Amino acid sequence: MTAFDKLLPLYKYIERNLSPEDFSEQEDSTQAPDEEHLSTSDTYETTAERTAATVSVERTHDRMRDVLAKRLASEHERENVHVERSTQHGKSIDLVVQTDGREWFYEVKPFSEPRLCLREAIGQLLEYGYWSGSDTPERLIVVGKSELDSRGEAYLSTLKERFSLPLEYQSVQVG
């Protein structure tokens, strides 16, 4: 079996957004690799060439952030909503709402699958809120394109209960 054969299930999963149960793997992925499949190279570097291309990039993240910022400004007054606020550690929080002396941190992820939004945003939110010397927020909110499903709700509930994290999820649809 070639390396490409072994990578086919992963490729299918990524390209078609299937769950791992939707296709069968050809061999148990928990097996240790045999010697013939290990690299014999002393270096893991290579070179690659790219050709120049013009690509149109949709700025979904910025659109989602701006739609949410307008909504939050109407709910909490414009001066209480901060877009791309810098932290004392040189990072930038997508949105911060200040209300009654407390702060809510929002991290926007433009993925269609909430699971990916949670995966990417939670680490950032934890760093913003809990890194040494950071201002601890009252709420940590992951923002994605789609509604959270029951598995996502269960995951967030587990994190809240086990680790006492003030995590939430919101969806923002943009046209």
Side-chain angles (χ1 to χ4, degrees):
M1 178 179 296
T2 70
F4 290 113
D5 292 305
K6 291 180 180 182
L7 291 172
L8 183 60
L10 177 61
Y11 173 79
K12 285 180 180 179
Y13 170 72
I14 291 170
E15 290 300 313
R16 289 196 258 166
N17 202 17
L18 298 174
S19 71
E21 297 84 34
D22 292 336
F23 52 88
S24 62
E25 292 188 13
Q26 304 235 343
E27 103 181 22
D28 182 2
S29 62
T30 61
Q31 293 177 350
D34 55 13
E35 287 298 318
E36 75 177 73
H37 292 102
L38 294 175
S39 174
T40 58
S41 173
D42 290 335
T43 179
Y44 289 96
E45 295 179 19
T46 188
T47 60
E49 291 184 31
R50 292 182 159 197
T51 58
T54 302
V55 179
S56 174
V57 177
E58 185 177 343
R59 295 181 60 180
T60 305
H61 173 278
D62 294 350
R63 286 180 33 215
M64 289 173 63
R65 183 201 57 216
D66 293 347
V67 165
L68 181 58
K70 287 178 185 174
R71 182 187 318 154
L72 293 170
S74 70
E75 295 171 9
H76 303 283
E77 300 182 14
R78 186 183 246 6
E79 64 270 7
N80 295 325
V81 178
H82 307 278
V83 176
E84 298 295 335
R85 191 182 86 184
S86 294
T87 68
Q88 63 189 25
H89 304 292
K91 303 296 181 185
S92 180
I93 305 170
D94 288 337
L95 286 164
V96 176
V97 171
Q98 293 177 307
T99 178
D100 299 324
R102 297 177 305 242
E103 293 186 320
W104 304 345
F105 292 176
Y106 291 79
E107 184 60 33
V108 177
K109 296 298 175 191
F111 306 120
S112 57
E113 189 176 334
R115 180 179 57 86
L116 298 176
C117 299
L118 293 168
R119 178 190 300 158
E120 294 292 322
I122 289 173
Q124 286 178 262
L125 287 167
L126 292 176
E127 179 182 342
Y128 301 153
Y130 298 102
W131 193 257
S132 177
S134 297
D135 297 326
T136 303
E138 180 182 50
R139 297 167 68 186
L140 300 171
I141 302 135
V142 176
V143 180
K145 288 168 59 173
S146 302
E147 294 291 329
L148 195 59
D149 60 12
S150 60
R151 289 171 63 182
E153 288 173 7
Y155 176 63
L156 273 185
S157 180
T158 299
L159 293 176
K160 286 183 201 182
E161 290 172 23
R162 243 185 231 176
F163 304 108
S164 300
L165 294 172
L167 285 169
E168 300 174 37
Y169 181 91
Q170 285 185 14
S171 66
V172 172
Q173 280 84 32
V174 293

